Amino acid sequence: MSEDLAVRTVSAAGPRIALAHFQPGDASDIHAFASDPLVCRYSTWGPNQLADTQAFLQDALVEQPQRYLQAVLVDGVLIGSASVWVTDQISKAGEIGYTLNRNYWGRGYATEVAVLLLQLGFENLGLERISATCDARNTASIRVLEKAGLTLQARRGEDLENCSQRAETLIFHIVETRT
């Protein structure tokens, strides 16, 4: 079970969720969603075996200056993972990604997560352009990205032998607007 929110380092918080550092004891909470075939059906990874989840957690515990790899928390309960990372330092470009436990789908949490990731990318990582990709069949994720302010930029066909069951990837982006 996830440790109490009070002992975590919170990187960003919204009205209902927080993005915080993972803890060494988070493997079972992560594995609850990362091993779920329904959660992973549109991803290029998973469903995870326990060893995959443990490797993910070990990586997540290593802080890197060009990424935020965060636990998604609701009332202190770990319900997903979220990340924003630099893809090109020179052009100040980055990407976001998120995965939530399906017990928490349909409540607006993913949109909140995406907005917080954009905030971290623009304000903390100094990005000027952020992208996100999703399977063209994943209508829920498409809506999340659009609600967060990203727009469809391109469609990319995929080689099914090298990319799970994904036939087409949608690429969304947003550019920071300076005030």
Side-chain angles (χ1 to χ4, degrees), residues 89-119:
Q89 257 187 315
I90 294 169
S91 66
K92 297 182 179 179
E95 190 168 340
I96 64 169
Y98 50 86
T99 303
L100 298 182
N101 183 311
R102 71 172 146 149
N103 295 330
Y104 295 88
W105 291 355
R107 300 181 193 184
Y109 293 136
T111 302
E112 239 180 275
V113 168
V115 168
L116 290 175
L117 289 172
L118 295 174
Q119 175 187 327

Side-chain angles (χ1 to χ4, degrees), residues 152-165:
L152 181 62
Q153 177 187 17
R155 296 173 174 268
R156 179 180 69 218
E158 299 292 351
D159 178 357
L160 288 176
E161 288 185 32
N162 296 323
C163 197
S164 183
Q165 296 299 314

